[in-house]
Amino acid sequence: MNDARTATRAAEDTRLEVVDVAIVGAGLAGIGMATRLARRGRDTFVVLERAADVGGTWRDNRYPGVACDVPARIYEYSFRPPGDWSSLFADGHEIARYLRDTVRDEGLAPHIRLHTEVVEARFDDEQRRWLVATTTGTVLARVLVTAVGRLSEPRLPDVDGVDEFPGSLFHSAAWDSSAPIEGAAVAVVGTGASAVQIVPQLARSARSVVVLSRTPPWIVPRGNRRYSDEERRMRRDESTARAERDDLFADADVNVRERLGPGDELEQIREKALGHLRRQVPDARLRGLLTPSYEIGCKRILLSDDFYPALGEPHVTFEPSALARIDGDAVVAASGARYTVDTVVAATGFFATDMPFAQRVVGRGGTTLAQRWSRGMTSYASTAVHGFPDMFVLDGPNAALGHNSALYMIETQIDYVLGALDTLAADPGLCLEVTEDAEAEYTREIDTRAESTVWLRGGCESWYVDPRSHRLTLLWPGTGASFRERNGRFSAAPYRQV
Ligand SMILES: Cc1cc2nc3c(=O)[nH]c(=O)nc-3n(C[C@H](O)[C@H](O)[C@H](O)COP(=O)(O)OP(=O)(O)OC[C@H]3O[C@@H](n4cnc5c(N)ncnc54)[C@H](O)[C@@H]3O)c2cc1C
């Protein structure tokens, strides 16, 4: 669709809504952004959400055992009253409720448009506004904030026979609660963060479980526990909660050291994981199959106390090869082994490195964000992209952490965007685009920081690294604190007026 046609369509559309800021996505990032805008008294913003409810990751991932794997007390908004978490690693339903409560308490509902999928967001070069076409109407916005998540587009196995499987086959992020599990034969494809939470739960009631694993994960003890009433009561005091949150964050943040390159920290975490494996898997053959051949930290280090024991149960089989195809009612592994099953759970991850939403964003001169990112995601400050004026990406390029809370990063980005909005508010005619040079310089900085890290040197394939460029495009290669130091404050210097 060309610019003129889009503009004409928008003008004719009786459902045209004109706002200052359009936020796409009502997950942790979109709700956080909306809260900060509402608290600043900004009226004219909308949150466009394709689903029937808010919550993003925590609305969609409803599988048995779903929980966060950073302490919940650092997985909460620092600008909201402390959350009353029941345990160290809160379960997903609790987090989903926390997000719904945030929307209610902050009075965000009037701003949120549910069942509203953004099909195209196009920068109109003439008006210097974003025309956002959705399934329920069109929004004209000065600023576009994308908060569509990096783990929001499930990736099903791309093998023959998936469509013909006669039983239940579904992705872990779209749990089918009517699927046969109790007394059934179940296959779990994948051994990532979701699978290690799901398998122990399924092992409790299924007749048999087979777990297909292309590469085994590194796993360290989890040590979850419920908080006592006294611990929960003490947390109502905001300064106590804040101090504790800062400590938990700082404790977790040092753990990046082991990923930044060889050294004592790397040796120690590897030894910790191997010790966990030795203690939990007495069978030497199974232990051999479960010992990763790549360096620890190259992929996400998982936390679990019940995955290895579940694999040791007589009705659970660990199949050390990938799913090759589905043949009728059997899953067939790359090793040739066949397993007849009633239900297949695809815990096969997400389209993370290529952010499918980028195909729907059209910047200056008609270039899509997907075209701009055809060799992998790049940005300035992990938030702005050359060619896409007055657009900010939350939880996008090099803004994730493998070792600490995503929310810390998201809040840092929200601060950055608020700074940009202040600059824009001071001059209604202003339209800001980050320069190509600034973006290239930032990209070089990321590459230098990433050079010796285990993510690039650890001998694994992971979604942190773009397969096209072999660059680290998902993770910030450093501490969360260093991300905030680098990117927490907006400056107009690397931008030009469009
Ligand atoms: C199972 C699981 C466990 C995790 N555990 C942790 C953890 O312990 N700690 C941690 O730090 N991180 C964890 N993560 C990462 C998690 O995704 C982030 O922490 C965080 O929830 C991301 O929030 P978000 O708002 O950026 O994205 P999301 O929560 O994915 O929200 C994006 C929203 O955008 C909407 N959307 C997408 N496209 C469109 C469109 N075209 N139009 C309208 N709306 C659209 C989606 O429907 C969704 O509601 C986990 C992820 C998963 C999948």
Side-chain angles (χ1 to χ4, degrees), residues 25 27-29 49-50 56-57 59 68-70 75 118 147-149 395 406:
L28 216 56
E49 170 55 57
R50 66 185 172 188
T57 289
R59 174 201 63 227
C68 58
D69 55 13
V70 298
Y75 200 64
V118 171
V148 295
D395 202 16

Side-chain angles (χ1 to χ4, degrees), residues 469-497:
S469 62
H470 307 290
R471 291 189 54 252
L472 184 73
T473 53
L474 251 292
L475 290 184
W476 168 253
T479 58
S482 67
F483 182 78
R484 184 158 292 184
E485 211 172 286
R486 175 67 178 82
N487 296 320
R489 194 184 290 258
F490 177 81
S491 155
Y495 289 78
R496 72 178 185 101
Q497 156 77 359

Side-chain angles (χ1 to χ4, degrees), residues 17-76:
E17 191 171 9
V18 181
V19 295
D20 209 12
V21 183
I23 302 165
V24 189
L28 216 56
I31 294 171
M33 187 79 234
T35 301
R36 296 291 305 279
L37 285 177
R39 286 190 178 188
R40 289 184 151 210
R42 277 190 179 252
D43 282 341
T44 61
F45 69 89
V46 283
V47 184
L48 308 166
E49 170 55 57
R50 66 185 172 188
D53 198 359
V54 300
T57 289
W58 305 103
R59 174 201 63 227
D60 293 343
N61 289 269
R62 307 181 68 78
Y63 57 76
V66 62
C68 58
D69 55 13
V70 298
R73 289 179 170 187
I74 49 171
Y75 200 64
E76 61 177 18

Side-chain angles (χ1 to χ4, degrees), residues 195-219:
V196 303
Q197 294 182 338
I198 292 169
V199 169
Q201 302 295 320
L202 297 185
R204 287 183 186 172
S205 60
R207 183 175 82 250
S208 67
V209 180
V210 57
V211 181
L212 291 92
S213 172
R214 188 196 311 260
T215 40
W218 283 101
I219 301 179

Side-chain angles (χ1 to χ4, degrees), residues 369-387:
L369 191 54
Q371 286 166 336
R372 172 85 191 152
W373 284 348
S374 60
R375 299 267 306 142
M377 295 191 291
T378 53
S379 69
Y380 175 75
S382 297
T383 314
V385 184
H386 176 69

